[in-house]
Amino acid sequence: MAAASNGSVPLVERLLRAGAAVDGRNSDGVTALMHAAVLGHVPVIELLLARGADLTAIDNDGFDALIAAATGGSAATCAYLLGLGLAPNVMAGSGGTPLNIVSRLGEAEAVEALLAAGAHPNTAAAPSESFEAEVAELVAKEEGAMSEAEVEARRQRLEAYFRAGSTALMHASALGHDTIVAQLLAAGADAAPVDADGQSALCHAVAAGCSKCVAMLLEAGASPDPPLANGDPLLVVAIATGAEAIAELLLEAGAAPTPAADAAGASAVAPLLLAAQSGSTKLVRLLLQKGASAACASEAGVTPLMLLAMSGNLPAVKLLLEAVANGPPELMAAVVDATTENGTAALHTAARQAQPRVVAELLGARASVNLRDLSGQTALGAAFDGLQQIARYVEEALADLAQADDRKLANEMLGRAAAQHISVMAALLAAGAEPSLIDTDGNTLDANTVVATHRALAGESAAASDGAKDEL
């Protein structure tokens, strides 16, 4: 068997002449012919067959020479054995057919050879009860209590296993073998079947992030919204994993922009919310065009508008507000002034993160400038909080660099760093925001004074900079 595995024709010949049994088996029932097949040694196979080896022999798991050749991924060996009459649709105890095996391996030439010989593209894996039981036992074992040899043996057995109901198309899709997906579909593979977990080939392709596979499966008629026994809708999976191209394909194929609630009444996270979180303006636009609700929110009340406002994604904010503007008048107020469970609105988040252009857009949409969260803070207060954080950062950064009485550098840095927050505060004040503020020490301040003071600092810095240029 070792000689057959090594592919040495002279050594195999010598051993056979010395009396070695041509169909001798090891403890797993594997013959020399199978060893040669898995390693693609066709000349050794020819020699063994010429000396009377049993072409149809199977091992303890139901593997024959063709399954061995498929396991090795050799197209030439598969074609040779098929030409000798081995059945292309034999199934091993592991549940794998030759086509399933080479599809999972990504061996396109072997797939072509098997399909040409009549392999059925829709055969579903059906592992034997004994193999299923062995797999369950191996999965339950703790690797820490196993030797290296046992761990390796366990790995090989689990890799040989094909889950019940899985097809060649599912395996090729799951591993992103787009060439093989195309071959199987051309041969009549059905994209509709699901495996034991309720996952179709499209589900596997989406999980793998293979946009080419997804496109082909959708074109072949796969449903973009398959009924799933568990897990999130495919559109949600695609957006959550950053697969923008796949999400676009699903939407164009008719995936629901707002997933329906399951039997228990629970709903998946809204795709529009995920698109806003990812910052994809393209997906926000497409979802809105397909009818996604701009009023969707998470369980905590977070809305797409809040996320977009916080990140400063002005184009997407405009898209969302334009979509709302085309709806009932009350919808605009409901979306713009929607609050989280803590009472925070989109204007709060944009103000805190110093997004002046977004703040201007929200104010233009009549966001309530004096809306307070549960702590009593308005958007102006949120902007002031952000300003104080910057001031603390500047102070800490300069602690080791500037003398206590030297404020020039500090004023310059603060003036530049605080410019966006000051701009936001000025806009809110102009829109009628209540000017009273409370600083971190509990002192009451007038926001107008804060804005004027910081603008004066910024003016001094600019003047100093101009003076330095004049001196140069």
Side-chain angles (χ1 to χ4, degrees), residues 281 303-321 332 335-337 345-369 379 420 423-425 427-428 431:
T281 302
T303 68
L305 184 59
M306 293 174 193
L307 294 170
L308 295 169
M310 180 172 61
S311 63
N313 189 335
L314 184 62
V317 168
K318 287 183 174 181
L319 285 171
L320 197 145
L321 292 177
M332 178 64 83
V335 170
V336 172
D337 286 336
L347 192 58
H348 286 87
T349 61
R352 185 181 299 277
Q353 297 301 318
Q355 307 290 358
R357 293 187 297 172
V358 173
V359 167
E361 202 69 30
L362 292 172
L363 291 174
R366 298 189 177 183
S368 298
V369 72
Q420 296 290 79
S423 177
V424 166
M425 292 177 68
L428 292 169

Side-chain angles (χ1 to χ4, degrees), residues 255-269:
T258 304
D262 61 21
S267 298
V269 60

Side-chain angles (χ1 to χ4, degrees), residues 368-394:
S368 298
V369 72
N370 286 313
L371 185 66
R372 297 180 180 274
D373 62 19
L374 294 187
S375 69
Q377 188 175 68
T378 64
L380 184 63
F384 184 56
D385 274 358
L387 177 64
Q388 290 184 101
Q389 289 176 9
I390 287 177
R392 285 195 296 271
Y393 171 77
V394 170

Side-chain angles (χ1 to χ4, degrees), residues 42-348:
V42 174
V44 173
I45 295 173
E46 292 174 330
L47 173 60
L48 291 169
L49 290 173
R51 292 306 180 89
D54 183 0
L55 176 64
T56 62
I58 60 174
D59 69 6
N60 299 348
D61 290 322
F63 281 54
D64 69 356
L66 180 58
I67 289 181
T71 302
S74 171
T77 308
C78 287
Y80 176 73
L81 293 171
L82 287 165
L84 294 177
L86 286 184
N89 295 302
V90 62
M91 184 176 293
S94 63
T97 65
L99 185 60
N100 284 357
I101 293 169
V102 295
S103 295
R104 187 164 73 177
L105 289 173
E107 297 292 344
E109 290 184 7
V111 168
E112 193 62 37
L114 286 160
L115 289 172
H120 300 318
N122 292 313
T123 300
S128 65
E129 290 185 8
S130 60
F131 208 100
E132 289 273 25
E134 182 185 353
V135 167
E137 184 179 342
L138 289 172
V139 170
K141 282 186 176 180
E142 294 287 342
E143 278 196 12
M146 302 168 67
S147 66
E148 287 187 16
E150 289 173 329
V151 170
E152 177 59 20
R154 175 179 182 266
R155 182 192 64 78
Q156 291 181 11
R157 295 298 279 174
L158 292 178
E159 282 186 357
Y161 175 62
F162 284 79
R163 193 164 177 77
S166 62
T167 64
L169 186 60
M170 293 177 193
H171 289 292
S173 300
L175 293 166
H177 299 319
D178 55 276
T179 298
I180 293 176
V181 168
Q183 289 175 297
L184 293 170
L185 289 172
D190 187 356
V194 298
D195 59 20
D197 294 322
Q199 304 288 302
S200 66
L202 182 61
C203 296
H204 290 293
V206 171
C210 180
S211 57
K212 288 184 179 179
C213 297
V214 169
M216 288 187 285
L217 291 166
L218 289 170
E219 188 176 348
S223 169
D225 281 323
L228 301 176
N230 50 53
D232 291 318
L234 297 185
L235 181 59
V236 169
V237 173
I239 299 175
T241 55
E244 184 180 89
I246 290 178
E248 186 176 357
L249 287 169
L250 292 169
L251 282 167
E252 294 294 359
T258 304
D262 61 21
S267 298
V269 60
L272 185 59
L273 196 65
L274 290 173
Q277 186 174 29
S278 71
S280 174
T281 302
K282 185 177 184 180
L283 282 182
V284 168
R285 177 185 291 107
L286 189 54
L287 284 163
L288 290 171
Q289 289 174 349
K290 297 295 183 180
S293 172
C296 63
S298 70
E299 291 183 2
V302 177
T303 68
L305 184 59
M306 293 174 193
L307 294 170
L308 295 169
M310 180 172 61
S311 63
N313 189 335
L314 184 62
V317 168
K318 287 183 174 181
L319 285 171
L320 197 145
L321 292 177
E322 287 169 5
V324 175
N326 295 327
E330 63 273 11
L331 181 60
M332 178 64 83
V335 170
V336 172
D337 286 336
T339 59
T340 67
E341 59 187 9
N342 295 322
T344 302
L347 192 58
H348 286 87

Side-chain angles (χ1 to χ4, degrees), residues 1-17 19-25 30-57 65 77 80-81 84:
M1 288 189 191
S5 296
N6 290 333
S8 174
V9 172
L11 182 55
V12 172
E13 177 73 46
R14 231 177 4 253
L15 290 170
L16 289 172
R17 285 178 180 174
V22 71
D23 281 327
R25 298 170 180 266
V30 178
T31 66
L33 181 66
M34 296 174 196
H35 274 293
V38 77
L39 293 167
H41 299 316
V42 174
V44 173
I45 295 173
E46 292 174 330
L47 173 60
L48 291 169
L49 290 173
R51 292 306 180 89
D54 183 0
L55 176 64
T56 62
T77 308
Y80 176 73
L81 293 171
L84 294 177

